[in-house]
């Protein structure tokens, strides 16, 4: 799976508008990628109609849900520890019900319910609309489960309740599932086949967010570049579409343009991309519209052609370089981030050196880097021996991290003495006297608050920096404010 946000990040429940009259309390936490956080907002919306408002206090909850990640063993262990904590509270409050959502739900359904008996409810990523029925089963004393994967469900008709929100930035889901069968990845098995959401419902959500005061959206999908709407249906069936459907189809570049034009002052980001599906028209659309942020998360996983083939990544090192060259030619100030895996099965020292040389070529702004973690059910887990010693994996990872940090610091310093546009998101963690926000290229910046407020777009002169954070002083409002 491609990285979208920090793995194992915990999202506590905070809702902008709880529904009056609702008597039951929902405590929901999310782990893993941004898709899980987005899904939790869908779940909160569905349960709001069933009499639940969210709470940040675990002990007062009637229903506790954890939205889970299966991408790495560490993620699963974190959730297991959390379930033990939930059950300790449940012994004090036996009326409290506990449920597991998301990718672990699909993968470990029988283990959770029948063998370990640590939850009352197991719900897969495509079954959230069935929650009212499942909760009725639970309320009557029966365990409930639905992990059926759908070929149609996109939740395009559900208006998410924004959890843990600053009221300025929001996720907008555009695809679900994935058809790329990377040998290390569980997503096709836990989230199902790829399908795209109706662009009209996406634009309606973007417009609604703008009207509510949000100023930045991130279009989300396991592989956003593969977005394709031709009236509904799976992407793999597009070849059988009618001539009219093909002529009026909306691909990702067109969707990006529709969003940019719908709200010209709304900042637009997207995540995650796959090199094999990233096309020139997406780069050209990004260059055309100022409000599309100049940052691309472009996972490569390895710099070795042999390992890329073993991973079933359908592009070569050379094709990736060509894509990087096109990005830098068309959008010279675009930042690029990456996912990298150290120690994939059969990886040699030569393969590792290929990854380091690829990094030297690209000079990423930042990255998510991990040692290989074998996941049950994946092709690599079934057919490949995890034969790289842990000590070697860790050494290779440390070399990757060291090089990435050098490039990140270099790219951060490149902002010095320049004026950049910052969207104010929150107060700085280190000083209540300063605002924190991000540049278009996704670099964090801090500066004195003065008279500015959260949600303002401000031009900031960068006078100093740390390895990853810009420090400056506001010189006025941006022309886009």
């Amino acid at each position: 799976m491609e990285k979208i946000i920090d793995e194992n990040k915990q999202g506590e429940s905070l809702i902008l508008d709880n529904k009056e009259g609702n008597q039951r309390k929902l405590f929901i936490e999310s782990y893993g990628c941004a898709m899980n956080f987005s899904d939790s907002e869908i779940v909160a919306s569905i349960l709001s109609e069933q009499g639940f408002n969210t709470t940040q206090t675990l002990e007062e909850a009637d229903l506790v849900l954890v939205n889970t990640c299966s991408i790495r063993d560490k993620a699963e262990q974190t959730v297991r520890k959390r379930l033990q904590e939930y059950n300790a509270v449940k012994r004090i409050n036996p009326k409290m019900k506990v449920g597991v959502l998301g990718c672990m739900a699909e993968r470990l359904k029988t283990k959770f319910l029948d063998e370990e008996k640590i939850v009352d409810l197991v719900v897969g990523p495509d079954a959230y609309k069935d929650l009212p029925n499942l909760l009725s089963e639970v309320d009557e004393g029966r365990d409930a489960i639905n992990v059926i994967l759908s070929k149609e469900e996109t939740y395009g008709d559900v208006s998410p309740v924004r959890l843990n929100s600053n009221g300025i930035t929001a996720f907008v889901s555009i695809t679900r599932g994935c058809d790329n069968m990377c040998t290390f990845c569980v997503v096709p098995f836990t989230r199902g086949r790829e399908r795209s959401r109706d662009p009209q419902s996406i634009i309606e959500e973007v417009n609604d967010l703008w009207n509510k005061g949000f100023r930045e959206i991130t279009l989300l999908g396991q592989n956003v570049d593969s977005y394709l709407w031709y009236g509904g249906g799976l992407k793999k069936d597009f070849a059988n579409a009618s001539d009219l459907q093909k002529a009026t189809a909306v691909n990702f570049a067109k969707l990006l343009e529709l969003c940019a034009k719908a709200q010209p002052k709304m900042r637009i980001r997207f995540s995650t991309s796959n090199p094999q599906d990233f096309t020139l028209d997406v780069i050209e659309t990004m260059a055309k519209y100022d409000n599309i942020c100049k940052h691309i998360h472009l996972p490569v996983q390895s710099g070795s052609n042999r390992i890329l083939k073993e991973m079933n990544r359908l592009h070569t090192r050379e094709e990736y370089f060509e894509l990087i060259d096109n990005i830098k030619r068309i959008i010279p100030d675009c930042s690029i981030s990456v996912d990298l895996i150290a120690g994939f099965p059969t990886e040699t020292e030569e393969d590792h050196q290929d990854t380091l040389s690829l990094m030297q070529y690209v000079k990423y702004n930042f990255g998510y880097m991990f040692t290989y973690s074998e996941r049950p059910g994946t092709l690599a887990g079934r057919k490949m021996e995890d034969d790289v010693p842990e000590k070697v994996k860790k050494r290779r990872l440390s070399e990757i991290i060291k090089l990435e940090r050098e490039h990140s610091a270099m790219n951060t310093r490149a902002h010095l003495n320049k004026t950049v546009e910052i969207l104010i998101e929150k107060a700085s963690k280190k000083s209540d006297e300063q605002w924190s926000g991000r540049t278009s290229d996704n670099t964090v910046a801090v500066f004195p608050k003065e008279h500015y407020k959260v949600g303002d777009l401000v031009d900031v002169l960068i006078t100093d920096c740390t390895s990853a954070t810009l420090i400056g002083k506001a010189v006025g409002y941006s022309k886009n404010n």
Side-chain angles (χ1 to χ4, degrees):
M1 178 183 167
E2 319 297 7
K3 201 70 184 171
I4 306 180
I5 58 172
D6 291 349
E7 185 178 339
N8 295 334
K9 181 178 176 183
Q10 178 177 321
E12 292 193 355
S13 301
L14 177 63
I15 291 194
L16 296 180
D17 297 299
N18 269 329
K19 193 171 183 180
E20 287 187 20
N22 282 358
Q23 299 298 315
R24 302 173 81 182
K25 298 288 183 68
L26 165 68
F27 182 92
I28 185 166
E29 286 183 338
S30 303
Y31 292 84
C33 72
M35 289 299 297
N36 276 359
F37 285 77
S38 178
D39 280 0
S40 291
E41 295 179 339
I42 289 168
V43 169
S45 178
I46 291 168
L47 291 180
S48 175
E49 298 301 316
Q50 302 301 312
F52 286 90
N53 280 340
T54 61
T55 176
Q56 289 183 280
T57 306
L58 174 62
E59 290 74 13
E60 71 177 24
D62 300 293
L63 175 64
V64 176
L65 298 176
V66 57
N67 204 338
T68 60
C69 174
S70 274
I71 193 67
R72 294 172 61 79
D73 182 62
K74 182 182 176 184
E76 292 195 356
Q77 295 310 316
T78 301
V79 169
R80 283 188 172 280
K81 288 178 183 176
R82 198 64 177 130
L83 285 171
Q84 291 171 5
E85 293 171 17
Y86 295 160
N87 278 279
V89 176
K90 190 176 179 181
R91 284 192 288 273
I92 301 168
N93 177 15
K95 290 183 179 180
M96 187 177 88
K97 304 300 181 185
V98 176
V100 170
L101 313 176
C103 295
M104 277 179 75
E106 203 289 326
R107 202 175 77 74
L108 298 172
K109 45 192 178 287
T110 53
K111 205 169 184 64
F112 280 148
L113 274 177
D114 301 331
E115 296 174 28
E116 300 179 14
K117 301 186 184 301
I118 55 175
V119 300
D120 307 288
L121 179 72
V122 176
V123 190
D126 290 344
Y128 298 142
K129 285 182 181 175
D130 196 31
L131 271 166
N133 297 325
L134 297 172
L135 284 173
S136 295
E137 293 285 308
V138 170
D139 287 341
E140 292 175 16
R142 295 187 290 272
D143 292 338
I145 182 171
N146 186 343
V147 292
I148 296 171
L149 293 174
S150 169
K151 292 183 179 180
E152 292 85 30
E153 186 61 77
T154 64
Y155 299 109
D157 57 339
V158 177
S159 179
V161 170
R162 303 296 165 181
L163 299 172
N164 203 33
S165 173
N166 57 9
I168 301 301
T169 61
F171 296 132
V172 176
S173 178
I174 66 168
T175 69
R176 296 188 71 83
C178 186
D179 288 347
N180 294 326
M181 300 297 289
C182 300
T183 58
F184 56 82
C185 186
V186 297
V187 168
F189 307 104
T190 59
R191 285 188 168 269
R193 298 306 297 259
E194 183 179 299
R195 60 269 188 208
S196 297
R197 181 178 162 192
D198 183 342
Q200 183 177 344
S201 75
I202 295 170
I203 297 303
E204 287 172 357
E205 185 172 343
V206 171
N207 289 337
D208 181 60
L209 286 166
W210 175 264
N211 292 335
K212 289 177 177 175
F214 287 82
R215 293 298 175 258
E216 179 182 292
I217 58 164
T218 299
L219 303 177
L220 278 185
Q222 307 302 151
N223 176 14
V224 290
D225 304 290
S226 194
Y227 177 90
L228 183 64
W229 175 264
Y230 58 99
L234 300 174
K235 183 175 181 179
K236 71 180 185 67
D237 296 330
F238 181 63
N240 302 322
S242 68
D243 290 342
L244 178 61
Q245 285 177 313
K246 290 178 179 178
T248 57
V250 176
N251 65 8
F252 182 59
K254 289 180 182 176
L255 177 67
L256 205 52
E257 182 169 50
L258 287 171
C259 292
K261 291 169 75 172
Q263 292 297 340
K265 291 193 174 184
M266 176 80 89
R267 268 191 175 186
I268 297 166
R269 300 186 186 275
F270 56 88
S271 189
T272 286
S273 295
N274 190 310
Q276 70 198 46
D277 297 304
F278 200 101
T279 51
L280 201 61
D281 57 352
V282 173
I283 307 171
E284 290 167 345
T285 302
M286 290 179 67
K288 185 177 177 182
Y289 294 94
D290 285 344
N291 61 327
I292 301 177
C293 291
K294 305 306 185 271
H295 165 240
I296 300 169
H297 187 57
L298 199 60
V300 69
Q301 309 298 357
S302 173
S304 160
N305 278 336
R306 189 184 71 80
I307 294 296
L308 288 171
K309 189 173 182 179
E310 292 289 338
M311 290 176 165
N312 196 35
R313 303 287 286 180
L314 303 181
H315 63 86
T316 64
R317 168 191 178 94
E318 292 73 24
E319 288 167 337
Y320 189 84
F321 284 158
E322 182 181 355
L323 182 53
I324 295 295
D325 290 344
N326 282 330
I327 293 169
K328 293 188 174 182
R329 174 177 57 84
I330 297 171
I331 316 173
D333 57 346
C334 188
S335 68
I336 302 170
S337 55
V338 70
D339 294 353
L340 290 165
I341 297 173
F344 188 79
T346 76
E347 183 186 71
T348 65
E349 201 59 35
E350 183 180 355
D351 296 323
H352 172 58
Q353 292 301 321
D354 281 347
T355 294
L356 294 178
S357 68
L358 179 140
M359 294 174 69
Q360 286 284 18
Y361 187 91
V362 181
K363 294 181 172 59
Y364 294 104
N365 293 70
F366 58 95
Y368 301 99
M369 300 148 287
F370 304 99
T371 55
Y372 172 70
S373 173
E374 183 177 285
R375 307 310 298 133
T378 62
L379 193 62
R382 294 197 308 268
K383 298 193 174 182
M384 302 172 113
E385 182 185 351
D386 188 2
D387 60 354
V388 180
E390 198 64 29
K391 185 177 179 180
V392 175
K393 286 182 185 178
K394 288 181 178 178
R395 191 261 303 165
R396 289 176 183 171
L397 178 63
S398 69
E399 291 176 6
I400 288 170
I401 290 173
K402 180 176 181 290
L403 185 57
E404 191 281 325
R405 284 178 175 168
E406 290 174 9
H407 293 155
S408 179
M410 178 194 71
N411 287 315
T412 303
R413 287 194 300 272
H415 294 84
L416 287 173
N417 302 315
K418 294 181 179 178
T419 299
V420 295
E421 182 188 79
I422 307 294
L423 174 63
I424 300 175
E425 297 179 23
K426 58 187 177 182
S428 168
K429 288 181 180 178
K430 293 188 176 180
S431 171
D432 197 45
E433 302 297 313
Q434 292 187 318
W435 287 126
S436 174
R438 286 176 294 160
T439 64
S440 173
D441 70 6
N442 210 36
T443 308
V444 173
V446 296
F447 59 95
K449 285 185 172 180
E450 299 181 55
H451 58 281
Y452 301 104
K453 62 184 187 299
V454 169
D456 284 343
L457 277 169
V458 181
D459 288 332
V460 176
L461 175 64
I462 303 304
T463 56
D464 199 1
C465 67
T466 66
S467 60
T469 302
L470 305 175
I471 301 166
K473 181 175 175 55
V475 295
Y477 291 104
S478 162
K479 68 180 189 298
N480 298 314
N481 191 59

